[in-house]
Amino acid sequence: MNGLPMLPTIVVDVSGSVLNIIFSSLSLWYAFRLTRLRPDNFLWGYLFYVTLAITAFALSRAVGHLAKEIFYITGNINLWHDIAPYSGGINTFCMISVAAVMIFYHKGVQAYEAIEQEAAKLKQSKIRLTKTANELKELNLNLEDKVEERTAELSESEKKFRHLFTASKDMVFFTDKHNRILDINASGLEMLGYASDDRPSLGLEDLFRNEGAVRAYGRSLVMYGYIQDLEAEFKKQDGTTVYVLISATALYDEYSQVIGSECIAKDLTRLKTMMEQLVSSEKMASVGQMAAGIAHEINTPLGIILGYAQLMMDDFEPDSETYQNLEVIERQTQASRKIVADLLKYSRQSGSARESVNVNEIFTDAVAITEHSLNLSHIKVYLHCAEELPVVIGDPEKLRQVVVNLINNAHHAMDGLERGELHLQTRYAKNEGKVIAEVRDTGHGIEDKIKAKIFDPFFTTKPVGKGTGLGLSVSYGIIQEHGGTIEIDSPVHEADGTVVQGTLFRLVLPVAQETSAIKEE
Amino acid sequence: MRKFLLHPFWLMVVPLMLFNPGEACALQVHGEPEGLYVHQIAHLHYIFALGYFYWDIRRTSFTGRGWGYLQMFCLLMTCWNLMAFIGHIAGAYLHPTSLVQKDHYLTTLLLEPFTLTKYIYYVTKLDHLIYVPAMFCLFIGLRSFYHSVAQEDLGGQR
């Protein structure tokens, strides 16, 4: 009996089945580990199921083959015949399952690719969104910084302009289109005589003394958009006038319509007064020169007239009519010589002494001379002498004459009043190096229109025959000669801002050292 | 729909079928060769699935050694399926007297005279020579996938 032995096929079948069990199990193990490493990865998940099906088929087949070989070898062929349909059926089922799972690979991968693409798109979108968010965040942060920086700049700028507005010594105000003043600085209020914490409701009509000036103000703003160096007179709260120089700019809305103005007004009152005083000084200087010439020419014939009159008086009896007439001539000639002497003093033609003078002593002497007549007129004298007042260089007689003149004028100003007060005060302005002597009365005061004339020679408000009009002129000349000045304040402005009736004459004299230096120069 | 169901034809046929069924053949009997046919069809299905899988791996252009081993698995498994398919046919045609045990199963002989069917039967009985390498390819392919992913993770951690 010849034939081909089937033993090799049996050996291959058994060993192959064992190896299949090993390799399929290892494959399934790695597939499982892959899914553990990448639980969210579809591909490895799918491969795990493919491997599971393949392993199930391989195990089913290998176990079936091994069982068959064992049953055949052990002689239990019938038992195998009972099991064989089940083994074969399971094999077929597993094979179909493997095939089915593999077929789905294509669609699975397509789905996976689609998901991956969408995921990539989402990832890209997320990256872009993150980038955009970061840019926005950065922009936002920068914006906050920029806004903060700009706000700080604006705040600083606002602070500066607010300081300029509040600290300016000139009047600064804003108006609306109805000429109402919306805001005005403290200097402006002070200039108008209001307290700095006052908030008066004012319009330009209340401000300008001249109504035509308000119209001119509005017209200029509409026509030119600005006003430059307009001289105007403002009404103060107490009705007095303050002279101002105005510069203004129109404010516009989005339709280029004037909605108001911003205005700066500079107080010119002091400058104007100084100018008037300068003009007056010049005028008096020329009058003084003329008076000096006239006085010099008249002085000689007056001396001759007086001499001859006195000689002739010796030739007549004192009780004769001629003698009495000569006495009248002598007296009038003496009076004329006094006038001429005053004129010469005014024009500084007369000689004067130079020595250290204590102004306190001058005041005390002057009060002693005039106190009696002042008391008769119920005028109370207040003498406030500064301690340790430095001396000035000058002629004590002339200075005494000036003070007596001023006291007499004050007395005259308080004539007719039931009672009056005369305040005499000296003080030392250390910073300026000046001695200040003030004579203040509570009289009628001096009208604005005659303030500029009071130092003019022969100008007087006294009745004819009661004054020569040379008192203040001479005083002015003397003080000028001493390097000082005379200032007038009427009505009197107190340091606390209040205004009281009366007149104040302020003599400002340089202290001794400075005066000497000036004279040496 | 209602009009269709209430058609006179159905109203006559349905009662006839219910009350006179005759040989309706509700359950079909599956005879002996059917199992073999199903098994063979399953092999063909497996071959088709493997081919499709192989083509799809190439189409998707996944790179790496693992995918190469997986393609090798597909090719070897396809070969095995063909071998098994042919082997089953050869087995069906082989006469039962062609195999004889001398004294034990392990001494079984395939008797002469040798025909093509007998040779094919004998060769296809050695199908594990293809099946085992196929499973080996699957094993090293998956191991390669695992190591590459593990390496990626390691690289990412570094």
Side-chain angles (χ1 to χ4, degrees), chain B residues 24-43:
Chain B
C25 302
L27 289 172
Q28 189 178 344
V29 178
H30 297 279
E32 194 176 344
E34 189 178 308
L36 178 64
Y37 294 162
V38 169
H39 193 79
Q40 292 292 73
I41 289 166
H43 273 297

Side-chain angles (χ1 to χ4, degrees), chain A residues 187-201:
Chain A
S187 297
L189 288 171
E190 191 183 343
M191 208 184 285
L192 294 173
Y194 292 96
S196 59
D197 53 350
D198 274 0
R199 285 287 173 270
S201 175

